[in-house]
Amino acid sequence: MAARFSARELTLKHGGEARVRLARPSDAAAILAVDRAVVDAGVGEVLARRDHPRHAAKQVDRLRPTLEGAPQLGAILVVEAPPPRSSGGLAAPGLVVGHGSAHRYRPSLCRHVAVLALGIRPDHQGLGLGRALLDGLIAWCEGVRVERVELTVLADNRRAQALYQSSGFEREAVRRRFVQRTD
C-alpha cells in the first residue's frame, strides 16, 4: 500500500530551479533548521522554539517511523533550492528550504484521513515551493487512497490560507483561543 513518490524538478517564479523529493533520515537537521527559521519569523507556526527538539538526533527519532518504518502511514517531502538571489552568495543546489508531511490517522475507522503540515523558510516563501510540496503531498495521499485531507492554518497566515483555498481546501471550523502566543 506504500505509495511511491518520484522526485520532481520545478522552475521557481524568479527563474531558479528547485527539487521536491522524499525526505531521508539525513535531512533531519535541515528540517529542524527550516522549523526554527519559521518560528523565528513568527508567522504561521503553532509551535514555540522551546517545543522543537534541541538536537537533530531527537528530530530523527521523531521522524524515524515515517522516514524508515511505516511509509503507508505517512510521507515527508523536502524541497531543495539554492539561496535566493538577494543573498549574494554562490548558488548551493541541494539546500533544504522547506518540508511537508502527510500523516494518516492510525485508528482503522479514520485511516482514510491524513493531516498535512508545511514549512518553508521565510526567505524562500512566495516562490511556488509551498504549492510544489502541497501538490506532492496530495499526490502521495491519492496513491495510498486517502479520501480526506485536513490541515490547520493560523488566522493571521493569509499566504497559507490563499494557497490552500486555491488548491480546493475549504474552511470547516475555527478553533478559538487554540494558540496562545506569549508576546
Side-chain angles (χ1 to χ4, degrees), residues 1-4 71-72 104 111 139-146:
M1 183 140 182
R4 295 184 190 268
Q72 73 278 9
R104 294 179 91 150
R111 292 280 311 227
W140 177 86
C141 287
E142 290 170 349
V144 295
R145 294 187 228 136
V146 166

Side-chain angles (χ1 to χ4, degrees), residues 47-60:
L47 296 176
R49 187 171 204 155
R50 67 181 173 272
D51 296 326
H52 287 280
R54 299 199 192 287
H55 303 288
K58 289 182 182 178
Q59 185 80 339
V60 170

Side-chain angles (χ1 to χ4, degrees), residues 71-115:
Q72 73 278 9
L73 295 178
I76 300 172
L77 305 181
V78 295
V79 61
E80 300 172 319
R85 291 181 183 181
S86 63
S87 71
L90 297 174
L95 176 68
V96 172
V97 298
H99 65 87
S101 62
H103 290 93
R104 294 179 91 150
Y105 282 103
R106 291 185 183 216
S108 60
L109 297 179
C110 302
R111 292 280 311 227
H112 65 288
V113 181
V115 177

Side-chain angles (χ1 to χ4, degrees), residues 86-158:
S86 63
S87 71
L90 297 174
L95 176 68
V96 172
V97 298
H99 65 87
S101 62
H103 290 93
R104 294 179 91 150
Y105 282 103
R106 291 185 183 216
S108 60
L109 297 179
C110 302
R111 292 280 311 227
H112 65 288
V113 181
V115 177
L116 301 188
L118 298 177
I120 304 290
R121 290 182 61 89
D123 59 350
H124 281 77
Q125 292 177 1
L127 301 175
L129 300 175
R131 168 132 357 248
L133 281 172
L134 182 61
D135 290 348
L137 291 168
I138 290 171
W140 177 86
C141 287
E142 290 170 349
V144 295
R145 294 187 228 136
V146 166
E147 298 172 23
R148 178 181 169 84
V149 179
E150 299 178 342
L151 53 86
T152 299
V153 62
L154 295 177
D156 62 353
N157 192 346
R158 303 282 185 227

Side-chain angles (χ1 to χ4, degrees), residues 18-36:
R19 181 173 165 222
V20 176
R21 63 169 174 77
L22 279 170
R24 304 182 284 262
S26 60
D27 293 321
I31 290 170
L32 182 61
V34 169
D35 286 348
R36 285 195 176 145

